[in-house]
Amino acid sequence: MPRFAANISFLFSELDLPERIDAAAEAGFEAVEILFPYDTPVPALRRRLEATGLPLALINAPPPNYTGGTPGFAALPGGEERFRHDFARVLRYAGALGPRHIHIMAGAAEGPEARAAFLRNLAWAAAEAPAQSLTIEPINPVDMPGYFLADFDLAAEIITEVGAPNLGLQFDAYHAHRITGDVLGTWERHRALVRHVQIADHPGRHEPGSGEIDFPAFFARLDADGYEGFVSAEYHPAGSTAEGLGWLGKLAAR
């Protein structure tokens, strides 16, 4: 059975962020991920991670764009200086909190200049933090219109072209379903590049088992393929988080 992490930017939202770590531990999750921890004091998060013993699976980079733009800007032509400045802040947080992965968000952009900028920024980041695992994630264009990285084949091309041993693929089953309609087939094509997995069902981006995706088959494939990373629950609870955790209980009962 996969090892499940709670994305506490989505789950347990009725609690303060540090308290969500305790809630995740009590619910039986084996790790947490936080999309953007940058507004929460590091000591508060670190205390709860240490007290629960839960590792931090992932954070996003760069810090969010508070002017209302699409999250991320690593693929924006001409934004290299800004990217490097903000990535330094990300690494300070990573040094204090120890995330297993840092997801570098491409942002809204298009065309060959955006691709070149993304390649330059990824290559620089991989060299700047050679001991840190970095990921990129295809995000479907319905949920995030204009996002540069909306194709798994493009993501694989970019990872291969950068050629850094610490850069890999973040595989979100929800986005795979919306982009390709074939979660298992997309996994099979790209599983060798995958560092981190996230899950939510479709439609609604709710709990696994609430929609169209065959999660028992997906989890069985992860086990059969020897995937050893975390599988993070990154979904919008249909009700309260606790009420919707039946899927996790069923898996644990196995």
Side-chain angles (χ1 to χ4, degrees), residues 209-221:
S210 64
E212 303 164 346
I213 300 175
D214 187 349
F215 278 106
F218 181 56
F219 296 152
R221 177 65 60 85

PDB file of all heavy atoms in Angstrom, residues 209-221:
ATOM      1  N   GLY A 209     -12.267   8.058  -4.790  1.00  0.00           N
ATOM      2  CA  GLY A 209     -13.470   7.235  -4.694  1.00  0.00           C
ATOM      3  C   GLY A 209     -14.749   7.999  -4.902  1.00  0.00           C
ATOM      4  O   GLY A 209     -15.825   7.400  -4.935  1.00  0.00           O
ATOM      5  N   SER A 210     -14.672   9.304  -5.070  1.00  0.00           N
ATOM      6  CA  SER A 210     -15.872  10.121  -5.244  1.00  0.00           C
ATOM      7  C   SER A 210     -16.202  10.369  -6.706  1.00  0.00           C
ATOM      8  O   SER A 210     -17.244  10.952  -7.015  1.00  0.00           O
ATOM      9  CB  SER A 210     -15.698  11.473  -4.542  1.00  0.00           C
ATOM     10  OG  SER A 210     -14.644  12.224  -5.143  1.00  0.00           O
ATOM     11  N   GLY A 211     -15.353   9.919  -7.627  1.00  0.00           N
ATOM     12  CA  GLY A 211     -15.565  10.267  -9.028  1.00  0.00           C
ATOM     13  C   GLY A 211     -15.140   9.172  -9.986  1.00  0.00           C
ATOM     14  O   GLY A 211     -15.360   7.986  -9.751  1.00  0.00           O
ATOM     15  N   GLU A 212     -14.474   9.573 -11.058  1.00  0.00           N
ATOM     16  CA  GLU A 212     -14.258   8.709 -12.215  1.00  0.00           C
ATOM     17  C   GLU A 212     -12.944   7.926 -12.190  1.00  0.00           C
ATOM     18  O   GLU A 212     -12.803   6.936 -12.914  1.00  0.00           O
ATOM     19  CB  GLU A 212     -14.255   9.577 -13.488  1.00  0.00           C
ATOM     20  CG  GLU A 212     -15.515  10.401 -13.673  1.00  0.00           C
ATOM     21  CD  GLU A 212     -15.340  11.516 -14.700  1.00  0.00           C
ATOM     22  OE1 GLU A 212     -14.181  11.815 -15.076  1.00  0.00           O
ATOM     23  OE2 GLU A 212     -16.375  12.080 -15.117  1.00  0.00           O
ATOM     24  N   ILE A 213     -11.980   8.338 -11.399  1.00  0.00           N
ATOM     25  CA  ILE A 213     -10.657   7.732 -11.459  1.00  0.00           C
ATOM     26  C   ILE A 213     -10.645   6.413 -10.687  1.00  0.00           C
ATOM     27  O   ILE A 213     -11.159   6.333  -9.566  1.00  0.00           O
ATOM     28  CB  ILE A 213      -9.589   8.684 -10.902  1.00  0.00           C
ATOM     29  CG1 ILE A 213      -9.569   9.985 -11.729  1.00  0.00           C
ATOM     30  CG2 ILE A 213      -8.209   8.035 -10.931  1.00  0.00           C
ATOM     31  CD1 ILE A 213      -8.637  11.042 -11.176  1.00  0.00           C
ATOM     32  N   ASP A 214     -10.053   5.388 -11.290  1.00  0.00           N
ATOM     33  CA  ASP A 214      -9.970   4.061 -10.661  1.00  0.00           C
ATOM     34  C   ASP A 214      -8.756   4.048  -9.733  1.00  0.00           C
ATOM     35  O   ASP A 214      -7.665   3.589 -10.117  1.00  0.00           O
ATOM     36  CB  ASP A 214      -9.850   2.987 -11.735  1.00  0.00           C
ATOM     37  CG  ASP A 214      -9.924   1.574 -11.173  1.00  0.00           C
ATOM     38  OD1 ASP A 214      -9.850   1.425  -9.933  1.00  0.00           O
ATOM     39  OD2 ASP A 214     -10.024   0.624 -11.972  1.00  0.00           O
ATOM     40  N   PHE A 215      -8.939   4.533  -8.515  1.00  0.00           N
ATOM     41  CA  PHE A 215      -7.805   4.610  -7.596  1.00  0.00           C
ATOM     42  C   PHE A 215      -7.322   3.258  -7.096  1.00  0.00           C
ATOM     43  O   PHE A 215      -6.111   3.074  -6.923  1.00  0.00           O
ATOM     44  CB  PHE A 215      -8.123   5.557  -6.437  1.00  0.00           C
ATOM     45  CG  PHE A 215      -7.912   7.002  -6.812  1.00  0.00           C
ATOM     46  CD1 PHE A 215      -8.998   7.829  -7.043  1.00  0.00           C
ATOM     47  CD2 PHE A 215      -6.638   7.528  -6.958  1.00  0.00           C
ATOM     48  CE1 PHE A 215      -8.813   9.151  -7.410  1.00  0.00           C
ATOM     49  CE2 PHE A 215      -6.439   8.842  -7.328  1.00  0.00           C
ATOM     50  CZ  PHE A 215      -7.528   9.666  -7.548  1.00  0.00           C
ATOM     51  N   PRO A 216      -8.178   2.279  -6.835  1.00  0.00           N
ATOM     52  CA  PRO A 216      -7.629   0.968  -6.468  1.00  0.00           C
ATOM     53  C   PRO A 216      -6.658   0.430  -7.515  1.00  0.00           C
ATOM     54  O   PRO A 216      -5.601  -0.110  -7.174  1.00  0.00           O
ATOM     55  CB  PRO A 216      -8.879   0.092  -6.338  1.00  0.00           C
ATOM     56  CG  PRO A 216      -9.949   1.051  -5.924  1.00  0.00           C
ATOM     57  CD  PRO A 216      -9.656   2.320  -6.684  1.00  0.00           C
ATOM     58  N   ALA A 217      -6.989   0.606  -8.798  1.00  0.00           N
ATOM     59  CA  ALA A 217      -6.090   0.148  -9.856  1.00  0.00           C
ATOM     60  C   ALA A 217      -4.811   0.975  -9.878  1.00  0.00           C
ATOM     61  O   ALA A 217      -3.715   0.439 -10.091  1.00  0.00           O
ATOM     62  CB  ALA A 217      -6.795   0.221 -11.213  1.00  0.00           C
ATOM     63  N   PHE A 218      -4.929   2.271  -9.644  1.00  0.00           N
ATOM     64  CA  PHE A 218      -3.754   3.137  -9.643  1.00  0.00           C
ATOM     65  C   PHE A 218      -2.823   2.793  -8.486  1.00  0.00           C
ATOM     66  O   PHE A 218      -1.604   2.664  -8.663  1.00  0.00           O
ATOM     67  CB  PHE A 218      -4.186   4.599  -9.571  1.00  0.00           C
ATOM     68  CG  PHE A 218      -3.044   5.576  -9.592  1.00  0.00           C
ATOM     69  CD1 PHE A 218      -2.108   5.575 -10.613  1.00  0.00           C
ATOM     70  CD2 PHE A 218      -2.910   6.514  -8.575  1.00  0.00           C
ATOM     71  CE1 PHE A 218      -1.052   6.489 -10.626  1.00  0.00           C
ATOM     72  CE2 PHE A 218      -1.863   7.431  -8.580  1.00  0.00           C
ATOM     73  CZ  PHE A 218      -0.929   7.409  -9.611  1.00  0.00           C
ATOM     74  N   PHE A 219      -3.394   2.628  -7.296  1.00  0.00           N
ATOM     75  CA  PHE A 219      -2.560   2.283  -6.138  1.00  0.00           C
ATOM     76  C   PHE A 219      -1.898   0.912  -6.329  1.00  0.00           C
ATOM     77  O   PHE A 219      -0.735   0.712  -5.948  1.00  0.00           O
ATOM     78  CB  PHE A 219      -3.391   2.291  -4.860  1.00  0.00           C
ATOM     79  CG  PHE A 219      -3.951   3.638  -4.503  1.00  0.00           C
ATOM     80  CD1 PHE A 219      -5.135   3.744  -3.777  1.00  0.00           C
ATOM     81  CD2 PHE A 219      -3.304   4.802  -4.878  1.00  0.00           C
ATOM     82  CE1 PHE A 219      -5.653   4.988  -3.433  1.00  0.00           C
ATOM     83  CE2 PHE A 219      -3.814   6.056  -4.549  1.00  0.00           C
ATOM     84  CZ  PHE A 219      -4.988   6.142  -3.827  1.00  0.00           C
ATOM     85  N   ALA A 220      -2.639  -0.032  -6.922  1.00  0.00           N
ATOM     86  CA  ALA A 220      -2.054  -1.346  -7.185  1.00  0.00           C
ATOM     87  C   ALA A 220      -0.895  -1.237  -8.167  1.00  0.00           C
ATOM     88  O   ALA A 220       0.125  -1.939  -8.032  1.00  0.00           O
ATOM     89  CB  ALA A 220      -3.124  -2.298  -7.725  1.00  0.00           C
ATOM     90  N   ARG A 221      -1.027  -0.354  -9.160  1.00  0.00           N
ATOM     91  CA  ARG A 221       0.058  -0.161 -10.120  1.00  0.00           C
ATOM     92  C   ARG A 221       1.275   0.461  -9.448  1.00  0.00           C
ATOM     93  O   ARG A 221       2.414   0.061  -9.731  1.00  0.00           O
ATOM     94  CB  ARG A 221      -0.424   0.717 -11.271  1.00  0.00           C
ATOM     95  CG  ARG A 221       0.659   1.040 -12.311  1.00  0.00           C
ATOM     96  CD  ARG A 221       1.148  -0.188 -13.047  1.00  0.00           C
ATOM     97  NE  ARG A 221       0.088  -0.842 -13.761  1.00  0.00           N
ATOM     98  CZ  ARG A 221      -0.310  -0.477 -14.997  1.00  0.00           C
ATOM     99  NH1 ARG A 221       0.279   0.528 -15.612  1.00  0.00           N
ATOM    100  NH2 ARG A 221      -1.275  -1.124 -15.600  1.00  0.00           N
TER     101      ARG A 221
END
